[in-house]
Amino acid sequence: MKTAEERIIERINKEIGSDIKNLHKSRFLVKEYEESLQNIRAKISLENPSVNSVIKAAICNAQDASERLERQTEKVDAFAESLNEKLDFRTSIVAGIEDSLEKIGGLEHLIEYFKILRDIQEISQELKASVGGRDEGKIVGFYLALCGERESSNSVIGRLQHVEAPHLKTYANQTASYWHDILLDKFSKDFEGLLKTIRWPYLGHASEVLNPSKDAMNKLGILAEYLFLIKPPGDPSSEHVVLSPGVTCPPISHPTELLIKPFRQRFQFHFTGTKQTNRLDKPEWYLTQIINWAKDNHLFVGENFQVSASRAGLADFNVRLEFVRGLVQLAMEKLCEEIEQIAQDEHLFAHLLDEVLSFEQDIKETFNYPNAFPSAITVLTQAQYIVKWLNIERGFTTNKMDAIMTGDSPWEFIEPSNFEELKIPKCVDQFLHLLDAIRERYRNLSQPGHHYNK
């Protein structure tokens, strides 16, 4: 449908067109439209009696609605002004309340601060009063109230995890460290004293018999539980032992450290310094010694101290395997000290490889030692040494293959048969045996990247 403007333009084009001589007609068009507008105004004028009553009513209603709308708009504007005044008043009240709540929060924080400070001082006083007594369980309980689980609200250290109080945290950690060292020293001395009583360690001598009394073992189990429970503030699991830039070991629990301590002393006595048993060309001496110590003692450790770890909440912790890992770490420490010197001599290095691979196989088969645990092979698979290792293996394999092919009658069939398809040349059989030997040799390498395909 055309608009009024379009119809007017169409009429002008029709009457005047493109002929300039027809411009005089524009006066008549203007006059015609003015008369039409006057007629329309007259028809819809309310004063004209001939105007339709419906139109009059519609116009009156529209005017009335417009007036009502204006009045309502004025009311809304007045209400909005009143509402803004009330909102401003209430906003000032809320601001005052927020300020008060902030002050209350600060006071609550301060109260909690002083409560924790009081608890630290009271626990410290209780520990001071009871540390010389015989109620060891009570002593451990006080320490756990000070430094229990980090995420637990039952200990002071746990409560401080979500409190913004760096100085108080430092004070709590220092207090916990102070008592940790005292209690660790106390229970360690008692633990080591009982170990001497039961004649620990068993070194495999025929004249020695490890047959401790039940009372001694019960006491050892309780002390081990206490030592498992008494953890230093902070996260001890992050404190890895760095043996070399490329070799690290997780920390060993304190009870296991105490069980390994006599072995460490003997290991250092025999396999360090100028002792005749400390020889670069005889790594099998100390590796075999570690295997024997582990064989003689790992079951005893697991049977008597696993319960202590479980009672201390270490459900997934294996004391027996950690004891073996501690002994293996002795070998790793020695390897880290000597590997650079040994690697300079190809014969010493090749011999070390053989002995370490044999050692790895023994600990995995004998003790079910996990691949994820640190092991002596970790030292040899550092980047600078595994390259040398692979070169040695490549040279050995090449020489072996040359020997196979240049031996007597390499293509002679073994076990001659009447069936042509079953005839196997001697060199092929020897080559397959060589592949099996290589596969077996690399079987205990823990990382897939260490498996080298020749």
Side-chain angles (χ1 to χ4, degrees):
M1 185 177 180
K2 295 181 180 180
T3 63
E5 182 179 351
E6 289 174 341
R7 291 198 300 272
I8 292 172
I9 293 172
E10 185 178 358
R11 175 75 183 279
I12 291 172
N13 289 332
K14 181 179 179 182
E15 294 292 338
I16 299 176
S18 59
D19 190 352
I20 195 170
K21 294 179 180 181
N22 293 329
L23 284 175
H24 66 280
K25 295 181 180 181
S26 61
R27 293 198 306 272
F28 300 104
L29 288 174
V30 171
K31 185 176 181 181
E32 181 182 344
Y33 280 118
E34 287 177 347
E35 291 175 354
S36 297
L37 288 172
Q38 289 176 359
N39 291 333
I40 292 172
R41 289 193 188 98
K43 289 179 180 179
I44 64 174
S45 174
L46 297 179
E47 297 176 357
N48 189 347
S50 63
V51 174
N52 191 310
S53 60
V54 175
I55 296 175
K56 286 183 178 181
I59 293 173
C60 290
N61 289 337
Q63 290 176 345
D64 185 52
S66 177
E67 292 174 358
R68 289 200 306 271
L69 183 61
E70 289 179 358
R71 290 195 296 271
Q72 293 299 326
T73 302
E74 291 175 357
K75 290 181 180 180
V76 170
D77 291 341
F79 177 76
E81 185 177 353
S82 174
L83 182 61
N84 287 332
E85 291 177 357
K86 292 180 180 180
L87 286 175
D88 291 340
F89 174 71
R90 282 163 176 73
T91 300
S92 63
I93 294 176
V94 171
I97 292 174
E98 288 179 348
D99 184 56
S100 299
L101 289 175
E102 186 176 348
K103 291 179 180 178
I104 292 172
L107 291 173
E108 289 179 344
H109 182 82
L110 190 61
I111 291 171
E112 181 64 18
Y113 186 99
F114 282 111
K115 281 183 179 179
I116 293 176
L117 181 61
R118 180 200 61 195
D119 290 344
I120 294 173
Q121 293 172 342
E122 288 181 353
I123 292 172
S124 188
Q125 289 297 324
E126 292 288 352
L127 283 169
K128 185 177 181 180
S130 58
V131 72
R134 295 185 177 182
D135 193 347
E136 296 170 340
K138 182 179 179 181
I139 297 172
V140 174
F142 281 130
Y143 180 78
L144 293 179
L146 175 63
C147 183
E149 294 295 330
R150 290 174 57 83
E151 299 301 326
S152 173
S153 60
N154 295 326
S155 70
V156 171
I157 299 294
R159 287 158 59 191
L160 279 171
Q161 293 303 307
H162 306 291
V163 177
E164 293 296 329
H167 297 296
L168 185 59
K169 288 181 179 180
T170 300
Y171 174 64
N173 284 325
Q174 289 176 345
T175 304
S177 296
Y178 171 79
W179 285 112
H180 171 266
D181 294 343
I182 291 176
L183 298 183
L184 194 68
D185 181 67
K186 169 184 171 59
F187 292 128
S188 295
K189 287 180 179 178
D190 294 343
F191 191 83
E192 289 184 286
L194 280 171
L195 287 179
K196 291 179 181 178
T197 300
I198 67 170
R199 303 179 68 182
W200 174 266
Y202 178 62
L203 302 175
H205 299 156
S207 59
E208 292 182 353
V209 178
L210 194 62
N211 187 24
S213 67
K214 186 176 181 180
D215 289 342
M217 290 311 303
N218 286 338
K219 182 61 176 175
L220 268 175
I222 293 172
L223 288 173
E225 179 185 353
Y226 293 161
L227 289 170
F228 280 124
L229 286 170
I230 299 174
K231 300 175 183 177
D235 185 10
S237 62
S238 62
E239 299 175 1
H240 278 57
V241 180
V242 179
L243 304 184
S244 74
V247 181
T248 60
C249 296
I252 295 175
S253 65
H254 196 69
T256 307
E257 280 280 13
L258 295 177
L259 290 170
I260 292 172
K261 185 177 178 180
F263 297 103
R264 179 179 291 276
Q265 292 171 341
R266 286 166 173 79
F267 188 88
Q268 291 175 345
F269 178 82
H270 291 290
F271 303 112
T272 60
T274 58
K275 295 292 181 182
Q276 293 182 353
T277 47
N278 181 31
R279 292 173 52 175
L280 294 178
D281 62 334
K282 294 293 182 181
E284 62 269 28
W285 286 358
Y286 66 83
L287 294 174
T288 301
Q289 183 64 78
I290 287 173
I291 291 287
N292 290 336
W293 284 342
K295 284 180 179 178
D296 292 336
N297 296 277
H298 75 113
L299 292 178
F300 177 85
V301 171
E303 291 169 359
N304 291 283
F305 297 104
Q306 186 62 49
V307 175
S308 301
S310 299
R311 286 201 301 256
L314 305 176
D316 300 326
F317 180 74
N318 191 314
V319 180
R320 180 187 68 84
L321 284 177
E322 190 187 51
F323 172 75
V324 177
R325 179 167 71 85
L327 293 176
V328 170
Q329 188 170 317
L330 298 178
M332 294 176 65
E333 292 170 3
K334 183 168 178 61
L335 279 173
C336 286
E337 293 175 0
E338 298 179 346
I339 184 65
E340 186 174 355
Q341 183 179 357
I342 292 175
Q344 296 174 6
D345 187 309
E346 185 171 313
H347 295 291
L348 289 179
F349 191 73
H351 178 61
L352 177 65
L353 290 174
D354 292 337
E355 294 302 327
V356 169
L357 287 171
S358 176
F359 175 76
E360 289 291 314
Q361 184 174 353
D362 282 347
I363 63 172
K364 285 178 171 59
E365 293 178 353
T366 306
F367 311 111
N368 198 24
Y369 194 78
N371 286 332
F373 275 25
S375 63
I377 207 75
T378 308
V379 181
L380 299 179
T381 52
Q382 295 179 88
Q384 65 270 38
Y385 302 120
I386 195 169
V387 172
K388 186 176 182 64
W389 181 356
L390 295 178
N391 289 334
I392 291 175
E393 294 289 337
R394 186 181 293 109
F396 168 79
T397 305
T398 302
N399 293 336
K400 189 67 176 177
M401 291 180 65
D402 289 343
I404 291 173
M405 299 307 298
T406 58
D408 295 336
S409 305
W411 295 103
E412 178 182 342
F413 294 126
I414 59 174
E415 299 181 1
S417 172
N418 294 328
F419 300 98
E420 185 70 24
E421 62 273 14
L422 296 180
K423 292 180 179 180
I424 302 174
K426 185 191 299 182
C427 63
V428 173
D429 181 66
Q430 292 175 341
F431 180 72
L432 291 176
H433 279 87
L434 176 61
L435 290 179
D436 288 338
I438 293 172
R439 186 185 302 109
E440 182 67 20
R441 184 175 178 84
Y442 282 94
R443 183 167 59 89
N444 291 311
L445 293 182
S446 58
Q447 300 182 29
H450 291 163
H451 292 273
Y452 180 68
N453 185 8
K454 289 185 170 57

